[in-house]
Structure formats: C-alpha cells, structure tokens
Amino acid sequence: MIAAHNPSGRPMSSKIGRLLRSQKVAPQRRPLPPAAPISQGPWWNRRLLVVGSGLIFGFIVYRHRYKPTSASEDVAPQDFDYSARFNATADKFDEDVDCVEWLYGITKLRRKLVQQAHGNVLEAAVGTGRNSEFYDLRRVTTLTLQDQSTEMLEVAKAKWRETHPAFEHCRFIHGSALEPLPPAPGKGDLSGDGGYDTIIATMSLCSTPGPSLFLRNLAGHLSLPDTTALATSNASHNHGERLPPRILLLEHGRSYFSWLNYLLDQTAPAHAKQHGCWWNRDIGKIAEDSGLKIINSRRKHFGTTWFLELGLPAEAEGVNRQQWLEDTRRKIALLQAEVGRAHVEWKERTRKQEEIRRKDEELEVWRREQRQHMKKES
C-alpha cells in the first residue's frame, strides 16, 4: 500500500511521484452567475436617463430656435394682451403642440383634470378647445366655454360640435376672463345662485395679464357652497354627494431647480414674443397672491407642471361676497389702465426702434453704393 504523504520531508521516488500526480483531480471552478439583462436595472435609472436626455435635447433645440433676447431688443411686457398673437396662430396651434403634450403626458393630465368637472361648468381661456373630448357629460349640467381670441374660439366651436354633436347645453362666450362673465345658464345673478360649480383653466396663467386677478375674478363666478347644485347622481362617480365649488387648474411655470429656472428665464422673452406665453411665471406665488384657498397642489416634470385645486376664501362667502367682488373689480380696473399705458409705451418704443433700424439700413445701402462707385473710379 502506498502512503498518501511523506512525513520525513524527503523527496519521493519518481515512480511514486508520478503515480500520485496522475491520481490528482483538477479542482472544479465555480460557475459565474449569469449577467443580468440591461432591461432589469432599476426603473428610476431608465426613466431618469430618458427624461434627462429629453430635457437636454429639448433645450438644445430650443436654444437654437429661441435665442436669448438681447438687451437692445424690446419685448412686450408680461402684463400684455396677447389675443392678436393667438388670432394669428389659431389654425396651426394644435398641430404645433399636439406632439409635445403627448410626449410629456400633458394630454393624460388634461383628461384627469377635466373629468372632475361637475354641475354648471365654466372653462375660461378655452383656446382651441383642447379639453373638449375629455368632459364626462354625465356629470355636466351646462358648459360655458370662454376665450378672448375670436379665431381660437371658432376652432373650439368646430371641435366641440364634431366631438359632442348631441350635447345641447354648451355655449361660447367671446371676451376677457378679467371682465364680468354671465352667470350660469338658467340661474340668477352672481350674488345669488348664479355661480358655476366648476371652473376649469388649463395653460392660461402664462399668457394673461395680472394672473392673480384673473384667478380672483374666476373665483367671483363660483357658486356659493350652500347653493351648489347637486351633481348628477351616479354610483360610479360621486354617489350622489353634494360637491363643493372648485377652480381646477393645470399650468406650467417655474421649477424646483434653479438651473432649470435659469434656462426658462433665458428663453422666456423669445418664447413669449412668438407664442404669447411667459413660461417662467411662479404659479405657486400667483395662487397665493390671489388670496384663494389652496385646497390641493401637485407638481410634475421637475416641478414645471402644476395641478391646483382652489376654493373661495372665507371673506368671499356669505354677506361679504359682494364687497369681495367689488374690491376685485376695482383692482382689475387699475390693472387694465396700467396695461393700457404699458401697451402705448411699448408701441411707441417699437415705432422708434423700427425707425432707427430703417435709417440704419438706408445708411448701409448708401455706404455700399459709395464703395461700389469708388471701385469703378479706381
């Protein structure tokens, strides 16, 4: 029998060594774990990569399209009537924003917001009627669609009649949402039960002068809590409960992040010049300055997309309602006078700048002709 080892430490014979080496079994390697597919990584990593890449790409494109406005270029003030701009872009407005709103999920957010509407509904600054298809008409008693742009309101009319041809309780109001609006159909005046149960406004605070007063004026058209019409009873919706009057907003504005706000500020004047939209407004501050009760507030897309649910403050209810409305109308009158003066001053500055530009062009043409004349003589 052959010993398994040599305790004396002396070298074994070559035969024994070869025999022992031939009987050794090579150690088995532990198999490597299979590589995890890329798609199994954390969901937030993939989403962050997609969203971040989209933001960077979007900003590069926008910087190319909307370069920061130079100090010498005069841009209309933020408190400005942009209805003429919207009249000019009404035909192509939906085409311009459809893809962007779908990609960023704004279309879904519109649907979720508008399906909460109940009773007598007012949609202020309806634009081209981008919310029309989302109304749950089982919950809506009457619908009033208002806008200051005549061309956009015509597009909204055509869209509504195509989408809801059988719904007869819809009317269209041309005018400013800073002005007194008519009471809900079939109701009395606003001091009684003539208010609306739901007021909708989407992507509107960016383009209205005095956005806080815009909200105050809308709130003045809400029905009072004790006179709120009972929404259509439906077990799958509201179980017949009495719903309080609300303003529902879907808006875009400043972000949580200072770097993104810097980008918005840099491109805002050029964006407003083309689209009549100041996308760097602080929506939260606008809501606070309005004095309304902020019932619910949520934000998406790095904080740039805002959902707000607003209600009447205590001082606007009961016997104080008329006084609150009069105070709002007085402030709006002051704002409109200021906007009028700013508009006149801006038009005068624009006229002078155009005159200077025309003279500079004429001077450049004269210099070019002089250079050509000197070349011929030489």
Side-chain angles (χ1 to χ4, degrees):
M1 184 175 178
I2 301 172
H5 70 281
N6 183 9
S8 64
R10 293 192 297 270
M12 296 182 181
S13 66
S14 59
K15 271 189 177 180
I16 295 175
R18 283 197 301 270
L19 180 61
L20 289 176
R21 283 195 298 271
S22 66
Q23 291 179 352
K24 283 184 179 178
V25 179
Q28 294 184 352
R29 292 185 177 182
R30 184 175 298 175
L32 295 173
I38 294 176
S39 60
Q40 291 182 1
W43 66 269
W44 53 267
N45 273 345
R46 300 196 303 277
R47 179 171 293 182
L48 186 62
L49 178 63
V50 171
V51 173
S53 301
L55 279 173
I56 293 170
F57 174 75
F59 178 67
I60 291 172
V61 172
Y62 231 83
R63 286 278 293 196
H64 175 72
R65 189 175 177 186
Y66 301 106
K67 295 178 181 178
T69 307
S70 64
S72 61
E73 185 178 356
D74 193 21
V75 179
Q78 289 206 25
D79 286 335
F80 192 77
D81 181 3
Y82 286 103
S83 55
R85 189 75 43 82
F86 295 131
N87 283 335
T89 60
D91 290 340
K92 295 184 177 180
F93 185 81
D94 287 335
E95 182 182 336
D96 288 343
V97 301
D98 271 342
C99 181
V100 174
E101 289 205 349
W102 181 81
L103 283 173
Y104 282 90
I106 301 298
T107 305
K108 273 187 181 179
L109 296 177
R110 285 181 181 274
R111 181 190 297 275
K112 288 178 68 175
L113 181 89
V114 171
Q115 288 186 344
Q116 298 179 54
H118 70 276
N120 294 303
V121 179
L122 165 67
E123 183 174 347
V126 67
T128 59
R130 296 188 60 78
N131 299 321
S132 296
E133 61 182 300
F134 304 134
Y135 280 99
D136 182 353
L137 297 181
R138 294 170 298 180
R139 293 165 53 90
V140 175
T141 307
T142 66
L143 183 63
T144 301
L145 304 179
Q146 171 276 331
D147 201 272
Q148 192 168 0
S149 166
T150 53
E151 299 298 324
M152 285 202 164
L153 199 59
E154 287 300 317
V155 176
K157 282 182 186 179
K159 193 179 294 184
W160 180 266
R161 288 165 183 163
E162 181 182 351
T163 310
H164 305 288
F167 189 78
E168 299 178 353
H169 306 293
C170 179
R171 63 177 178 174
F172 299 86
I173 304 295
H174 172 249
S176 170
L178 287 169
E179 300 286 348
L181 297 171
K187 297 289 185 176
D189 58 26
L190 293 174
S191 61
D193 64 346
Y196 296 88
D197 305 309
T198 311
I199 296 179
I200 300 278
T202 58
M203 308 302 173
S204 57
L205 297 182
C206 61
S207 57
T208 183
S212 294
L213 291 175
F214 170 86
L215 292 179
R216 280 180 67 94
N217 191 50
L218 292 184
H221 293 81
L222 281 172
S223 60
L224 294 176
D226 58 343
T227 59
T228 301
L230 185 66
T232 304
S233 177
N234 187 303
S236 63
H237 287 83
N238 53 31
H239 307 283
E241 65 195 25
R242 189 178 295 274
L243 300 176
R246 290 288 183 263
I247 295 176
L248 302 177
L249 302 176
L250 178 63
E251 300 291 341
H252 63 138
R254 298 187 76 75
S255 166
Y256 296 123
F257 303 103
S258 56
W259 62 268
L260 186 50
N261 289 332
Y262 171 79
L263 302 183
L264 292 174
D265 292 339
Q266 289 292 298
T267 52
H271 182 78
K273 187 175 182 181
Q274 180 158 348
H275 297 290
C277 160
W278 289 92
W279 62 1
N280 61 338
R281 286 181 170 175
D282 189 337
I283 303 301
K285 186 174 187 307
I286 289 171
E288 290 174 2
D289 290 347
S290 71
L292 303 185
K293 187 190 301 180
I294 300 177
I295 298 164
N296 194 4
S297 173
R298 296 195 300 273
R299 298 170 74 175
K300 293 177 71 70
H301 304 134
F302 295 94
T304 59
T305 302
W306 296 66
F307 166 79
L308 289 168
E309 183 180 355
L310 307 178
L312 279 169
E315 61 267 24
E317 298 178 0
V319 295
N320 298 322
R321 181 179 177 87
Q322 193 59 36
Q323 181 181 352
W324 190 81
L325 284 172
E326 290 175 0
D327 182 57
T328 300
R329 303 263 164 80
R330 179 180 58 80
K331 291 178 178 177
I332 289 174
L334 293 173
L335 169 71
Q336 289 173 329
E338 185 180 336
V339 169
R341 286 193 298 271
H343 182 76
V344 171
E345 292 172 359
W346 175 77
K347 286 185 71 175
E348 181 63 19
R349 289 197 306 270
T350 304
R351 185 190 64 78
K352 289 180 178 179
Q353 287 182 352
E354 181 63 25
E355 186 176 343
I356 292 171
R357 186 189 61 79
R358 182 178 54 80
K359 289 181 178 179
D360 288 343
E361 288 178 353
E362 291 175 355
L363 180 60
E364 183 60 32
V365 169
W366 178 82
R367 287 173 177 170
R368 194 180 304 121
E369 290 175 350
Q370 291 298 311
R371 285 195 296 268
Q372 290 174 355
H373 181 68
M374 290 174 65
K375 282 181 181 180
K376 288 180 182 180
E377 288 185 346
S378 61

